[in-house]
Amino acid sequence: MKLAIIYHVYKNSASLRKSLESIFAQTDQNFEFVFVNDYASSKVNQIIKEISFSKLKNFTYITHSQNLGHSYSFNNAVKAISSEYVLYAGSNFIFDKNFIKIFNKIITHNPNTDVISFNVKNNDASFSTFNKLNVKMKQTIQSSMKDKIVATKMIRNFNLGLNENFYSPLVFIYQILFLFKKWIIVDFSHAKYLKHTKYTYNLYDIFEENDYLLDKYSNTKFWRSNQDIIQYLMIIYILWIFIPRMFMAHKEKSIRENALHKAEMWLRKNIPHWRTNKILFKTQVLPKKLIHDLIEIKFKIRYIDKLIKKYNT
């Protein structure tokens, strides 16, 4: 089996049915599907009861008697898979019907690839291969696990995984950036990624993982050689993930003000010249107008509300 999808559910029921239907509708059913019920809500469990997974050829169901979180769910499920590659997904993924077909083909024709990620430009499934972290790759890499298929062998050989004390996708991305020998970036829109209004992990974990990266790796040679991309990923995590998600999940003025204060103080202390980050200016991932607005960002509620409305985050 080429690809395993680890699919985590907890509280989000809004798009679960539609998401699973997109899995069942795959034109190529040659994949492994590991469903992790992380002590899901009653609404989620009711939907699960109404759905038949019999259409799936390779299906594994894991259930937890308490909520153990994203990190444990991913790490534990990886132990159970037999496929060569793994993608971590959830109920806000609506997959393209040819997702498996396209990536099975890419995997077959590109042996010994460590990571395959998605950089949507033309949506024609063309791809670029990288054997080192060069300028072009830095400009196209994204700060998310949701767009990355990782070799199972790489995860197991280097004992990679998510920190179970806090949700740590950025630390995971740093580790694969450091270790990879072959990385493919595909121009293909693999899924619609629907917005949540609430999140099943603590958004302040973003600062914990940034601090963890700084404490553990900032004196390493790889960090010093690639400081621009690591700091870029940190900046985007704070400005374009933490702040908008806090604003979508919380309407209380005090909570929003505290979030903005934390973001501003963390950047001022740890990346004082973040506005001049080289990758921030050159990235092909985000629109140029958005980059300009992020650079000019004011840590005020009114400004952030306008920015979120403008880009419909």
Side-chain angles (χ1 to χ4, degrees), residues 5 7 10 21 24 44 59 72 75-76 86 90 92 175 183 189 225 240 244 253 286 289 304 313:
I5 298 175
Y7 190 95
Y10 177 38
E21 287 173 355
F24 301 147
V44 169
F59 176 66
Y72 177 86
N75 295 343
N76 185 56
V86 61
N92 54 343
Q175 291 172 326
W183 190 311
S189 181
S225 301
W240 206 235
K253 182 179 178 181
L286 299 175
K289 178 60 178 172
I304 301 300
T313 303

Side-chain angles (χ1 to χ4, degrees), residues 81-98:
I81 65 174
S82 57
S83 300
E84 296 176 45
Y85 291 85
V86 61
L87 172 71
Y88 189 54
S91 56
N92 54 343
F93 272 62
I94 311 298
F95 288 87
D96 182 277
K97 67 179 180 179
N98 291 314

